[in-house]
Amino acid sequence: MSSKSRPNIVFIMSDDHAVSAVSAYEDWLAELAPTPNLDRIADNGMLMTRTFNTNSICGPSRASILSGNYPDRVGVPGVIRQFEDNDWGNLSNDFVSLPDALKKSGYKTALIGKWHLGLDSPDIPNERGFDFFKGFLGDMMDDYNHHLRGGVNWMRENDTEINPKGHATDLFTQWSVDYINENKNSKNPFFLFLNYNAPHSPIQPPKNWLNLVKNREKKADLNRQKLIAFIEHLDNSIEKVLVSLEKNNLIDNTVIIFTSDNGGALYYSASNKPLNGGKGNMMEGGIRVPCIVKWQSVVKPGIVKEPIMLMDFY
């Protein structure tokens, strides 16, 4: 195959990100901040307006994307956690994962960021198709700057525990930029699955971003200001990934996908208007997600109203 027939793939997934929290969806805006860098992808790509996930919580949604199947059929009916009394599922071993399938076509595969499909062998990313993993095995962080969950450090580089310093969103961004830089001259295309924890709780934007929003959105309460700053910081981080593709002359032959695992969490000041419901329930606010696809000069820009499910990408 030629390199053009095998583009790089950068699949970016945020966490608990409402459709109305992406300003390219102009008809959906629910008093949230602009996301100019996601909008830039949409301006040159397909803005999909009826995209659904198979579940309204993190782990099952990820299982569907990586298996091309409903989550119950691959062992993940609920959230996989380190807590035995609240642990729902175990990723099955009898399916070919998306990264495994891509490797058979000559791809290098990497997962950076949140995994949430198992904490131990054989359910860690390197044993489920990813050549390289740098990120967080667990379901959520109790603090974006200290990265622990229930007092346990689940940060790993491949199978080695690491203790990086900094805000998790910044770390995942820099690690992705590093990966792109390291593979810019690779003979093999790469599949980079970049999974941010943001804007999942706890809502902890960097202080400088929060101060900017406080000065601008003075009528919003503090919880709302925090969420706006959190999403703006995430959008700025995605810009850095896009810039790294541009600087390395990879942007023309890279499929860029942005989406979320489920809708916004209403109990953390998110809004899924005009949809009913949110994270944790199966109303549209819980399972309908933003989705943008760009492949320069190949995918025709425009609005796509046909319904899709995220497992369809497999």
Side-chain angles (χ1 to χ4, degrees):
M1 294 183 182
S2 70
S3 60
K4 270 291 182 186
S5 65
R6 295 185 302 163
N8 302 307
I9 304 167
V10 176
F11 194 124
I12 304 171
M13 188 160 68
S14 57
D15 199 329
D16 299 356
H17 201 140
V19 177
S20 59
V22 177
S23 53
Y25 292 89
E26 294 179 359
D27 295 338
W28 296 63
L29 269 183
E31 305 167 7
L32 251 171
T35 52
N37 298 296
L38 290 176
D39 296 353
R40 185 156 64 98
I41 305 175
D43 288 343
N44 298 284
M46 293 192 301
L47 182 71
M48 302 174 127
T49 63
R50 297 179 65 197
T51 303
F52 299 86
N53 219 326
T54 56
N55 206 292
S56 64
I57 51 177
C58 309
S61 299
R62 294 159 201 275
S64 286
I65 291 168
L66 290 177
S67 68
N69 213 326
Y70 292 100
D72 298 55
R73 292 187 173 181
V74 290
V76 189
V79 175
I80 296 173
R81 292 191 178 98
Q82 69 203 67
F83 312 110
E84 292 184 5
D85 61 345
N86 195 13
D87 179 27
W88 301 85
N90 181 261
L91 192 61
S92 65
N93 298 316
D94 59 356
F95 70 92
V96 177
S97 71
L98 175 59
D100 268 329
L102 287 167
K103 285 171 70 171
K104 292 178 180 179
S105 294
Y107 276 78
K108 302 176 73 172
T109 59
L111 171 66
I112 292 176
K114 179 175 176 176
W115 169 238
H116 197 189
L117 287 172
L119 302 169
D120 303 294
S121 178
D123 298 323
I124 56 177
N126 298 97
E127 295 179 84
R128 305 314 302 256
F130 289 101
D131 300 316
F132 178 74
F133 168 59
K134 196 168 185 179
F136 186 76
L137 290 174
D139 60 323
M140 62 174 282
M141 298 176 182
D142 296 330
D143 189 292
Y144 271 76
N145 295 292
H146 301 295
H147 322 129
L148 301 181
R149 174 61 163 150
V152 179
N153 179 15
W154 293 111
M155 280 285 202
R156 301 288 187 272
E157 181 169 351
N158 296 320
D159 59 356
T160 301
E161 182 177 333
I162 58 175
N163 188 24
K165 306 300 180 185
H167 194 284
T169 299
D170 294 330
L171 291 173
F172 297 163
T173 300
Q174 186 58 54
W175 295 343
S176 297
V177 169
D178 292 343
Y179 182 83
I180 291 167
N181 290 338
E182 291 164 6
N183 288 278
K184 61 184 178 182
N185 296 318
S186 174
K187 294 180 180 179
N188 297 84
F190 60 79
F191 168 55
L192 170 58
F193 196 23
L194 168 53
N195 286 276
Y196 285 106
N197 280 65
H200 191 294
S201 62
I203 311 303
Q204 292 180 305
K207 289 183 179 179
N208 58 322
W209 285 89
L210 180 56
N211 289 336
L212 287 171
V213 171
K214 281 183 175 181
N215 290 330
R216 190 186 75 223
E217 305 287 342
K218 295 181 179 180
K219 293 183 179 180
D221 64 29
L222 180 59
N223 287 336
R224 193 69 171 165
Q225 289 172 338
K226 285 182 177 179
L227 184 59
I228 292 171
F230 212 23
I231 291 170
E232 289 189 352
H233 176 233
L234 173 64
D235 181 74
N236 179 262
S237 298
I238 291 170
E239 180 191 26
K240 294 176 181 178
V241 177
L242 299 177
V243 168
S244 70
L245 291 169
E246 291 168 345
K247 285 184 175 180
N248 288 303
N249 297 315
L250 298 174
I251 196 77
D252 287 348
N253 197 36
T254 298
V255 178
I256 300 168
I257 301 164
F258 169 79
T259 190
S260 173
D261 57 353
N262 47 255
L266 301 180
Y267 40 89
Y268 288 109
S269 297
S271 171
N272 297 296
K273 292 179 181 179
L275 304 177
N276 291 319
K279 176 180 179 174
N281 64 58
M282 295 300 286
M283 290 187 283
E284 279 198 73
I287 60 172
R288 196 161 171 174
V289 294
C291 186
I292 304 168
V293 180
K294 175 188 173 185
W295 185 6
Q296 196 83 10
S297 303
V298 178
V299 170
K300 185 179 179 179
I303 295 175
V304 178
K305 297 181 179 180
E306 288 77 12
I308 70 161
M309 298 187 77
L310 287 185
M311 67 179 180
D312 293 339
F313 277 108
Y314 193 147

